[in-house]
């Protein structure tokens, strides 16, 4: 049975993968300041999310860890 955590993490993974691929096809360096490194990070985050969405425990762990990491990135980039 799929739970909310698994659905959320899998959906997030798909979104990250799509953003990573689109970033390589349509460069958005001026609009969102996204570089090829950002695209690679989005692809890696998406792939890990898809892998971690296999079980409830892994999905929850992914959501907590990556949520914290992205929060730190947001704080340090904007300070």
């Amino acid at each position: 049975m799929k739970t909310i955590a698994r659905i959320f993490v899998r959906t997030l993974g798909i979104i990250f993968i799509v953003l990573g691929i689109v970033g390589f096809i349509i460069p958005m360096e001026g609009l969102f300041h996204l570089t090829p490194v950002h695209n690679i990070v989005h692809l890696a985050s998406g792939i890990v999310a898809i892998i971690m969405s296999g079980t409830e425990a892994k999905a929850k762990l992914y959501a907590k860890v990556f949520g914290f990491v992205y929060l730190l990135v947001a704080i340090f980039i904007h300070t």
Side-chain angles (χ1 to χ4, degrees):
M1 182 173 146
K2 291 197 176 190
T3 60
I4 296 293
R6 290 181 65 199
I7 293 168
F8 172 75
V9 170
R10 179 154 301 187
T11 303
L12 194 61
I14 293 168
I15 291 169
F16 275 138
I17 290 171
V18 169
L19 285 175
I21 292 169
V22 169
F24 282 116
I25 296 170
I26 304 168
M28 295 185 224
E29 292 177 9
L31 184 61
F32 294 111
H33 304 290
L34 297 178
T35 64
V37 174
H38 287 97
N39 298 329
I40 292 169
V41 169
H42 287 138
L43 285 172
S45 296
I47 291 167
V48 171
I50 296 295
I51 292 168
M52 296 293 282
S53 69
T55 67
E56 173 78 9
K58 288 180 181 179
K60 286 182 177 182
L61 178 64
Y62 175 90
K64 290 175 185 175
V65 170
F66 274 78
F68 182 71
V69 168
Y70 274 89
L71 175 66
L72 289 178
V73 169
I75 289 170
F76 286 117
I77 286 177
H78 295 292
T79 56

